[in-house]
Each structure stands twice: as C-alpha cells, then as structure tokens.
Amino acid sequence: MVRGHYLRDLMDNVRLAKGGDKREKQEVQLRRGLEREVERIGRFCEARVKALEREVMEVNERLMALSSPHMTPTPLLYAARSFVEFYISAHAAFLKDLGSPTSMKQSTSASSLSTVVVGQQDDDLAASLAREREVKDGLFREYKEMVEEKAKVLAKQAKRKAVTEALKGLIRVEREFYLMDAFIERAFADLATFIQTFKSFVGTIPPPLTTIDTTATNLTVTVHTLRLLIPTSLAPLFPDPEDYTCPICLCPFHRPVITPTCRHRFCKGCLDEHERSNAVTVWSFYYFGEDASFVRTYFPLEYKERSAEERKRAFKSRLRVLALHVKFSLRRDAWWF
C-alpha cells in the first residue's frame, strides 16, 4: 500500500516550515516523494498484473484439457461442461453486481478516483470507501462460495489431481483479481488524497502527478481484461448444445443435412417426416458430415439417445410399410379368386 506515514511526515515538514527557501525545499521533497510513491505503486501493479497473466494462462491450459472428448471420460466431460456453464454465468453476474468495468469503453470508475476525492474530507472519504468495499466484499464472498461449492462437486466426481489443481488455481486467480482490484482502488485513492493536500500547499499539481487518473484507468482496464480472459477462452471449448439443435425436433442433430438455398440445417429423418406430413418436397439437400461427427464426439449421450429414437422410428416405418404390403396383397388375392 501507499507509505502514508512517510508522506505524512513530509507534509508535516512543509506545514512546520515558516517560509522562504526552507519551505520551498520541503515542498520539493514532498513533490519528489509523491512522484516516487506513484512510480512505486505503478511498478508493483504492473509486476502483479504480469504475474496474474501467467497464472491465467496456466489455469486456462489446465481447464482446456477437460474440454477434449478424446482425453476426458464422458461423465467427466458433461460435469466439466456443467461447471463451466455455471462459472461463466456466475462470473458475468458477479461483475454486473460489482459494477466494475468489463471493457475499455466502460472503464470509468478508476478514472474518476481523484475527481471524487477533491470535494471530500479524508475521514468522509475513508468511511465512504470502507462502506463500498464492505458491500463488494460481501458480493465476492457469495460468488466465491458458489464457485467453490461447484468446484468441489466436480473435483469429487473427477478424482484426478490435475482437475483438483486446476480448480484450485481458478479460485486462487479469482481471489487475486479481486484483491488486485481493491488494491488499485485504495492505493490510487490514497495517492489522490495526498496529491490534493499537496495542491493546497503549492496551489498547482505538477505534470508528473496529474497522470494518476490515466495510470489507474490503464491498470483497471488491464486487470478486468485479464479477468475476462478465462470465461471468454473457455466458452468456445465447451460448445452449447443449442447451437447444434435441429429446429424441427429440438434435439441434437442426427445425420444432419443442409439446404442449399437458406443454408438451414436439419436432421435427415426430421426433414423426411416433415415432407411426408406437410406434402412439401425439398428438392435438394447436402449431407453435413462435419456436424454429425461433432455431435457424436462432443454430445455422445444425446447422440446415443437420438440414435435409439431414430432406430425405433425407422422400425415403426418399416412395420407400416409391411402392413400396407400385406393389406394390398390380401386384397389382390381376394380379387383374383
């Protein structure tokens, strides 16, 4: 955090200086002390952000292994998909409740730190930040408990050390992100307070100290960009079944075909049934083998269930054809005799 005792001692020296060269010297020392403190906090935040980036990449690599149907058993694949879906939705809801910026265009909270400080006393500011941080702490505890509960269920089902370590790393990174966000908010708010006090001494703020808004904004944007890296990178690895659903039967594709005109995809059996029921003829279509293999690989349970239904439907269709054949055969034989 900010070395407040050091800066307060420098400010006391300025207050005690009676004027002239001695006061000017003390003001220069205070200005240099503030500049060094801003630079120190900035270097620490940048180093921590780089460390967080490495941790995020490591967690991503571990979680990506769970998305491979060739390396993950089917029950674990479905459990991991359920956990990732919950994590992505809970993460988005937490950021929304937190009121934090989720993109560069929305990063306004950090850039307004010094503006908020200008018209407030130190005690009022500390009380306001404490109340706000208490609310955010409660939101984070609730979010962390939900993610931990789901992670424990997945780890218990997986019974793999790699999965357990990946989930622990995910929760640890989420905690580090929150602590980093709180540190940036508190540190730059304290710096802004000292800078405003320095302004009351000298009347102006030197250029190096006017960049704390930009520094805080850039750091906040970087942290939140990294924070979104995990859910955004995991979402494509765990496909949504709705993206591979037939619009007729509302089930995963089975022997999918694509129409050449509108480029819509359907199950071959559903399209044939639709033609028979509605007296509509689709003159041409193409088999879409890529979707067929994808559904069979990533949604094996749904594909197996759908294959069983298709076999039952095909068997019933053959029975109807056989019944009609027997019926017409009996009529023909009766007419002949």
Side-chain angles (χ1 to χ4, degrees), residues 103-284:
S103 66
M104 294 183 65
K105 295 182 180 180
Q106 297 174 330
S107 59
T108 58
S109 60
S111 62
S112 61
L113 285 175
S114 61
T115 306
V116 174
V117 173
V118 174
Q120 294 181 341
Q121 299 295 329
D122 293 348
D123 295 340
D124 295 337
L125 174 63
S128 176
L129 290 177
R131 288 193 297 268
E132 183 179 356
R133 182 50 55 185
E134 185 178 355
V135 174
K136 291 181 179 181
D137 288 343
L139 292 174
F140 178 72
R141 281 195 299 269
E142 182 180 357
Y143 164 71
K144 181 172 173 287
E145 288 174 0
M146 291 191 300
V147 175
E148 284 181 342
E149 183 180 355
K150 292 291 184 178
K152 288 178 181 178
V153 174
L154 178 59
K156 185 177 180 180
Q157 184 172 357
K159 296 180 180 180
R160 292 184 177 184
K161 184 178 180 181
V163 176
T164 304
E165 293 297 328
L167 296 174
K168 287 182 179 179
L170 175 64
I171 296 172
R172 183 177 62 254
V173 166
E174 286 291 335
R175 184 176 62 253
E176 292 296 331
F177 273 131
Y178 181 75
L179 294 177
M180 188 64 190
D181 189 32
F183 174 82
I184 293 174
E185 179 182 337
R186 178 63 183 275
F188 282 92
D190 291 344
L191 286 173
T193 303
F194 287 113
I195 291 173
Q196 293 304 321
T197 306
F198 175 76
K199 181 181 178 182
S200 67
F201 291 154
V202 300
T204 57
I205 300 177
L209 298 179
T210 59
T211 60
I212 64 165
D213 285 348
T214 304
T215 305
T217 300
N218 293 339
L219 288 172
T220 304
V221 169
T222 303
V223 168
H224 285 276
T225 302
L226 287 175
R227 202 173 202 169
L228 291 172
L229 186 60
I230 295 179
T232 53
S233 60
L234 289 180
L237 299 177
F238 293 88
D240 188 357
E242 294 184 0
D243 296 335
Y244 299 89
T245 298
C246 174
I248 297 178
C249 65
L250 303 180
C251 296
F253 291 124
H254 185 267
R255 298 178 62 199
V257 295
I258 183 171
T259 56
T261 53
C262 61
R263 310 297 295 178
H264 286 162
R265 297 172 297 175
F266 305 92
C267 297
K268 176 63 169 59
C270 295
L271 195 59
D272 293 341
E273 186 69 23
H274 179 71
E275 290 179 356
R276 288 192 295 267
S277 302
N278 298 277
V280 177
T281 301
V282 179
W283 294 103
S284 62

